[in-house]
Every structure is written in C-alpha cells, then in structure tokens.
Amino acid sequence: MVSNRHLTWRVENIPSQFDETRLKSCFHSDDKKYIEIKSLVPDANNYDGCGTKTATILFSSPEAQEPRIEENDDLTICKIFMGFTPLNTPSDDVCADIIAITGLAGHAFGSWAHSAEKMWLRDYLPRDIQNRARILIYGYESATFVQKLVDIREHQSCKDRPLILIGHSLGGLIIKQAITDLDPSIRSRLPIRTVLFFGAPHNGLEISALETLVKGRPTETLISELKRESPTLAALSLKFRQAAQDLSIHSYFESRATKTLIQGPDRSWQCGGEKRVMVERSSALQHMSRSGTYAQVDGDHKEIARIKQGHGGVYPNVLRIVKTALQSASEQYTALRLAKEKQPETTATDQNDAQKDDEDDKDQKSEGYDDENLLCDACYDQFLKSMTHYHCYICDDGDFNICRSCKKSGRSCLGGHDMLKRQLGDSKSVGNESDDEDSEIDDEEDEDENILTCDGCDKDFRKDDVHFHCVICEDGFYDLCRRCRKNGRVCPGRHKMLKRKLAITEESPPPDVPSTDLPTPDEDNSPTQYCDIPDCHCDLPKRVKNKARSKNGWNDMRTCRVCRDSFNSRNQLFDHLRAEDHMAD
C-alpha cells in the first residue's frame, strides 16, 4: 500500500513535444490538483532532444493511492527510481556528467532530498553551475553500474565526457569497485576526474541492526562483508589506492549518531533503536588525495547526503569543488575534442594494430607487477597476502604493512598507531620467501661504483640502500628500489628476487644521490660478508649450513644480525645476545 505522505514519482517515456501542461493533462482529473511537476528533462539516452523525456513529479494526495494515468498508455510511472534518472537539461556547453549513487537500501531520490519539496541535485546544483553538466542519480539492485554507465555514454556527444562521481555510504564502495575493476579499454571511455564520498564506509560500518534485518535473505552475505575491519573492504581499499592516484577525492563524515533499526509489535522495522555512529571518522576519511579535502557534516548517517542550501552547511564547499572540477573537465574535454578533430581517419588495419598494442601493453604490465605478495615495512621481506599480517591505514599514506614475525618481536608502525590484523584473499607466492637471515650478495661494480639505477622507476639510488636483485633478467643486472618492490613491482620473468645491500667503495665519498629507502626503525648497515647464491664462484665465503637436525629443531646455523657471528644452537645465540646487549637490536 502506498503511504499518504508527499512522494516523488518518476514518469518515463514522455514524448519529446510534451510540456508540463500537456503532461499534467494525462493524469486522472481527481489527481491533477495534487500533482506538481518538478522536472521535465531529456532521458538518459536522449542525446539530440528528439527522443523521449523523463519527469519527476510531487504527488501530495491525502489518500493512500498512486497517481493515475488516463491518457497515453506509453507513459510509465514508478516510485523506486531504478537505473539512471536525469535531473536537468544540460546546456549547449556541457562538459561533464555528474552521477550520484545512493547507499544500501537507500532511495535513489529520497536519500539526497532534505524535504518533500527540495532535493539539491535537482533544485540547486543545476542552476548554480548553469547546467554545464548533465546530472543523474542511480538506483540499483545489483552491481551493474559500470555497464549501464557505458550504455548511456555510447553517443559521440558524450563518449569522452569527464565524470564527477558522488557516493553516499555503500554508493561510495560501488564507485571504488567500479574504478578498480575498469578494463583498460573501458577506462578511456570513462575519464573520472573527481569523487565525492559522503559517509563512505571504507573500513566498514555498524551493521548489527542490519544483520538482524536481512537474516536469511540473499543480501545477508553482502551485509556481513560491510562489517568493520572487513578483509574484503581492506582488499578493495588497496586496489583503489593504486587505481585512484590521479583522482581528486573529497570526503565528508557524520557528526551525530544514527538511530538503529528495531522491530515493532507489528514486526515492521522502524528507526527507533539505540543511537550509534554508523561510519567512524577514520573509516570515512581513509582515502585522501593531495588535491582533496574533507569536512564534517552536521547530521547523522542519513542526513549527511541531504544537503541544504546556505552557508551554514557544506553546500558552498560542495559547489566550489564541483565548479573547480567542471573547469578542469572543460579544459580536458576541449583539448580531447580538438585532438580528435586533427587525427586522420583510421583504417581497419590501424585499429587492429592499435588493439594489438593495447593487448601487448596489458600483458607487459601484468608481467611487471606482483599482485600476490606484500612487503614488510620493518624487515623488507615479502609474504603472501593471504598470510596473517598487520596494517596501518595512516602511516605511509595508508599503505604500511608488517609481517607477523616483526609484530611478535614488538615492532609497530612509524606513528605507533593501532594496527589492523588481517588476511587478504588466497594467493600463491612466486617471489622470494626469505628466512630470518638476509639474502645478501655482491654485484659487479658499475661505471659509477656507488650508484645503481632502479629498472622499475629509472631513479638512481645508493648501493648501500636495501634493494632487490634478479640474477637472470637483463643478464643478471636487474635491480628494483625498495619503493618499487613495495608497490608490487617484480622482474619481467617473475623470478625470485634477492634482497641485498652493497657496500660503498671506500676510495670515493658517498655519492650525492637521495636515498630511496623508506624510513625504518632499526636498519642494518653492516656490509655483506656471505654469498648465498648456489654454485657461485665468487671470493666471498659461503654461509655454513648444518644439515643435521639438532635437538633444538634447527636445520641451519643461525647468525647474529648485529655482529654476524654464527652459533650452533638457539641457547648459544640467546646467551650471546644478552651478553653483548643486542636484544634491543
């Protein structure tokens, strides 16, 4: 049954020649006096103004009924707002698409409206930006956002038009998923410039009430993935951080707690339960870009997206961000169109060659990065993503990880924050699984004896910086700096890369090259003394191995990492550490 509240309805398939008066005449005579047409604009697939239109109407009937259409059977009316709903008529100099995606179980229109009469994306923003962008809202039941977005941008007039995305709550996660999953062939057709997050639960949200509401339903599994410190959300954040490096990201967080859902006597769900903060500030502000901003909104999790006009709220800030994005988008869109006009027409053979080049680039990229392992920021050994480790969302731009062994030894992040214990999806390591010892080797001297060049970023670094070396690729001269290896870069052949640190030549002073090393609390600066490469014939001594299993359960000799003395048992090593006061090291 329809509620007797003022409700906004969507009317579709309206003929292009209809104006507001003609549209209103199609409704039942008893309903006309309760209908107010709030917008009448070209639909999402109407590019030249000759197609159909879409309208939003306010129906304030005192009785519980829906608007009745008497004329024109082609008109369709609904209150759910699934898919894309356009809210304005773009001007001739339109330069971007603005798309707003609502949260979980939120209404695609009502989630943005602060009253029955006003909704800022329809009533304020189009006027304030002179309709220089097409504004749409998106309602969903399943994750088909990207494909539907591509479908409404097939026309040549908007194919390359920049995008400004706005997400509330779960809508922000849908935006993140869409950006990380974009195929390179589609990414060029969806040039996303700016993202605005309103209460997006990057690190999870309060779901206790929602779990009770959806128990036994198909969405129960989805809800469980939204809990705080969810491994699924953590993995999504890692992917998004790499994919969104060039985006301008702006975040807004709630200032008040939200009433949770409770089940009433009639078994219906109502917002009358205990008040809780749905998305913590740290969760909402997890992704910050250099050009981005953040702001607190005076409201709870629902009210945060229902923006009111006026200088007392965040609307002026949002408007400034959108105008800045439109200015940048206009310049980009104009340059792109001019470049296309100058390009000669391509033949089928040229298109096939370009497609082949794109595929080669994609294969090259997949060969050059390791998506299965992480690098410990304390000992710089790599480990499987699926292994238990500890993560800090603040240090190193939210990309600080330490392995379980370092955490057990008392190490933490650089800021001393509470670190999240987590495991990412199942994976199989293809890199070097090092033990407690450093796999250190010497290399032939280059022309500049104290400088090496990273084969990942082409930047120079000092030989005594910790770096990673492949003895196969590039005839044994393939090196990666610590930052490239931390970002997942591996050698083209995906071989085991050895962690090493070479000694600076004493005859010449250390070169004036900035170190690429990341900060570490306790770094070993001692020179290499052993060679661990099998069948190597260099002059360095080999590390002594004790193949017989001792009573202490050790297969190998163990070495003090401070002074490099070797010991046959755990007790001998511990006695040495205590005697030499090396325990802190």
Side-chain angles (χ1 to χ4, degrees):
M1 178 177 290
V2 180
S3 169
N4 60 355
R5 298 177 300 151
H6 296 348
L7 290 178
T8 297
W9 297 73
R10 181 178 68 183
V11 185
E12 296 180 285
N13 299 325
I14 304 170
S16 60
Q17 68 271 19
F18 273 36
D19 58 12
E20 294 184 8
T21 303
R22 180 68 182 90
L23 175 60
K24 199 169 183 178
S25 67
C26 296
F27 290 91
H28 191 281
S29 58
D30 293 339
D31 295 342
K32 292 178 182 178
K33 57 184 177 182
Y34 302 118
I35 292 177
E36 180 183 357
I37 299 176
K38 306 295 288 187
S39 65
L40 179 60
V41 303
D43 67 25
N45 293 309
N46 185 353
Y47 308 107
D48 53 9
C50 299
T52 58
K53 296 181 178 180
T54 298
T56 58
I57 65 172
L58 181 65
F59 185 59
S60 53
S61 173
E63 299 185 12
Q65 63 181 29
E66 63 181 55
R68 294 165 290 180
I69 297 177
E70 287 188 335
E71 298 181 23
N72 201 318
D73 294 337
D74 292 334
L75 298 182
T76 58
I77 186 168
C78 70
K79 62 175 181 179
I80 304 177
F81 286 74
M82 284 298 171
F84 288 99
T85 304
L87 300 178
N88 71 320
T89 301
S91 62
D92 293 336
D93 60 342
V94 57
C95 60
D97 282 347
I98 299 176
I99 299 175
I101 308 175
T102 187
L104 179 67
H107 191 273
F109 184 89
S111 294
W112 309 98
H114 67 82
S115 70
E117 296 282 342
K118 297 295 182 181
M119 192 270 233
W120 66 281
L121 289 165
R122 180 193 66 188
D123 301 312
Y124 306 150
L125 190 60
R127 178 197 62 205
D128 292 338
I129 62 173
Q130 291 82 44
N131 284 308
R132 295 182 62 237
R134 179 174 61 160
I135 304 175
L136 307 101
I137 53 177
Y138 180 72
Y140 55 91
E141 283 183 340
S142 58
T144 58
F145 170 66
V146 173
Q147 185 56 52
K148 289 188 176 181
L149 180 58
V150 172
D151 291 343
I152 68 168
R153 291 167 57 89
E154 280 295 329
H155 194 266
Q156 194 65 31
S157 63
C158 61
K159 205 167 196 176
D160 302 313
R161 191 182 294 166
L163 279 164
I164 300 171
L165 302 181
I166 304 174
H168 172 229
S169 193
L170 182 62
L173 301 185
I174 290 179
I175 290 174
K176 290 172 62 177
Q177 189 71 57
I179 292 174
T180 56
D181 290 348
L182 281 180
D183 186 87
S185 61
I186 299 178
R187 186 182 296 274
S188 60
R189 296 162 58 188
L190 299 177
I192 301 171
R193 302 282 304 178
T194 302
V195 179
L196 284 77
F197 289 126
F198 288 86
H202 302 298
N203 193 28
L205 75 162
E206 173 58 48
I207 64 167
S208 56
L210 292 175
E211 284 181 317
T212 306
L213 174 63
V214 300
K215 190 173 184 180
R217 298 184 182 181
T219 53
E220 182 177 4
T221 303
L222 171 62
I223 293 297
S224 65
E225 295 294 341
L226 299 178
K227 62 184 178 182
R228 287 172 178 160
E229 299 183 355
S230 163
T232 301
L233 295 183
L236 176 61
S237 293
L238 286 174
K239 293 180 180 179
F240 179 75
R241 188 175 295 112
Q242 296 179 356
Q245 294 180 1
D246 297 331
L247 298 184
S248 178
I249 301 174
H250 308 269
S251 302
Y252 300 88
F253 61 95
E254 59 215 59
S255 60
R256 296 203 299 265
T258 306
K259 289 183 179 180
T260 54
L261 296 172
I262 59 172
Q263 201 167 21
D266 58 350
R267 303 187 67 80
S268 64
W269 291 92
Q270 304 170 350
C271 294
E274 178 187 357
K275 286 188 175 184
R276 295 183 181 179
V277 176
M278 299 298 290
V279 179
E280 299 288 349
R281 181 180 185 273
S282 58
S283 180
L285 301 184
Q286 185 181 118
H287 297 292
M288 294 296 299
S289 64
R290 293 182 179 178
S291 60
T293 60
Y294 66 91
Q296 176 178 294
V297 179
D298 183 20
D300 60 23
H301 190 63
K302 290 183 178 180
E303 297 167 345
I304 190 174
R306 297 170 177 173
I307 300 177
K308 297 180 181 180
Q309 199 174 27
H311 292 279
V314 296
Y315 180 75
N317 176 264
V318 173
L319 179 59
R320 177 187 59 80
I321 291 170
V322 171
K323 285 185 175 181
T324 302
L326 287 177
Q327 178 63 31
S328 176
S330 177
E331 297 171 356
Q332 177 194 17
Y333 192 41
T334 302
L336 186 61
R337 294 179 65 178
L338 291 175
K340 284 197 169 186
E341 290 175 0
K342 294 179 180 180
Q343 286 181 349
E345 295 184 2
T346 57
T347 63
T349 304
D350 295 334
Q351 293 178 353
N352 292 335
D353 292 342
Q355 184 177 1
K356 184 178 179 181
D357 291 340
D358 291 340
E359 292 175 355
D360 292 341
D361 291 342
K362 182 178 178 182
D363 293 339
Q364 246 182 0
K365 184 175 181 181
S366 62
E367 289 178 359
Y369 284 85
D370 180 8
D371 294 328
E372 299 170 339
N373 298 282
L374 294 176
L375 199 67
C376 175
D377 284 288
C379 66
Y380 301 105
D381 285 339
Q382 69 181 27
F383 54 87
L384 291 170
K385 287 183 176 181
S386 59
M387 294 177 61
T388 300
H389 59 283
Y390 296 82
H391 179 78
C392 178
Y393 287 104
I394 301 175
C395 293
D396 198 13
D397 295 328
D399 191 20
F400 193 96
N401 302 286
I402 63 173
C403 63
R404 185 166 51 182
S405 299
C406 289
K407 183 66 175 177
K408 188 175 180 181
S409 66
R411 298 198 186 181
S412 183
C413 63
L414 301 175
H417 308 108
D418 291 334
M419 302 193 71
L420 169 66
K421 181 180 179 182
R422 67 177 186 178
Q423 291 175 287
L424 304 181
D426 294 336
S427 60
K428 180 179 179 182
S429 176
V430 294
N432 175 37
E433 297 182 13
S434 59
D435 54 14
D436 294 337
E437 301 170 344
D438 288 340
S439 300
E440 298 174 336
I441 62 172
D442 270 335
D443 195 11
E444 297 180 3
E445 294 184 354
D446 296 331
E447 293 182 4
D448 191 332
E449 298 178 348
N450 295 316
I451 298 178
L452 294 176
T453 301
C454 174
D455 288 288
C457 62
D458 291 328
K459 293 182 179 179
D460 293 339
F461 59 88
R462 292 170 44 160
K463 289 171 62 175
D464 60 345
D465 290 344
V466 173
H467 58 282
F468 296 83
H469 179 75
C470 178
V471 297
I472 300 176
C473 292
E474 301 290 342
D475 296 325
F477 289 97
Y478 193 93
D479 298 284
L480 290 177
C481 65
R482 190 185 302 178
R483 186 170 294 277
C484 283
R485 185 63 192 89
K486 175 176 169 56
N487 290 335
R489 193 72 183 253
V490 292
C491 64
R494 302 182 68 86
H495 306 111
K496 290 183 179 180
M497 299 197 71
L498 301 176
K499 181 182 70 176
R500 69 175 186 177
K501 182 166 54 175
L502 305 178
I504 291 292
T505 305
E506 296 181 358
E507 285 76 7
S508 59
D512 187 16
V513 177
S515 174
T516 60
D517 284 356
L518 300 177
T520 177
D522 50 352
E523 186 173 7
D524 181 10
N525 292 318
S526 59
T528 301
Q529 296 185 8
Y530 298 98
C531 175
D532 291 319
I533 302 178
D535 302 324
C536 180
H537 301 290
C538 66
D539 296 332
L540 293 175
K542 304 297 185 218
R543 200 183 302 275
V544 180
K545 302 290 183 180
N546 181 13
K547 298 301 182 182
R549 187 175 181 85
S550 68
K551 64 179 181 179
N552 296 290
W554 290 19
N555 291 326
D556 300 327
M557 299 285 290
R558 284 300 183 262
T559 303
C560 174
R561 302 185 69 175
V562 178
C563 64
R564 296 299 181 183
D565 290 340
S566 298
F567 300 90
N568 294 320
S569 69
R570 187 191 305 271
N571 293 335
Q572 290 182 13
L573 176 58
F574 284 175
D575 291 342
H576 167 76
L577 294 176
R578 294 190 189 97
E580 301 296 334
D581 196 22
H582 290 168
M583 295 297 289
D585 297 321

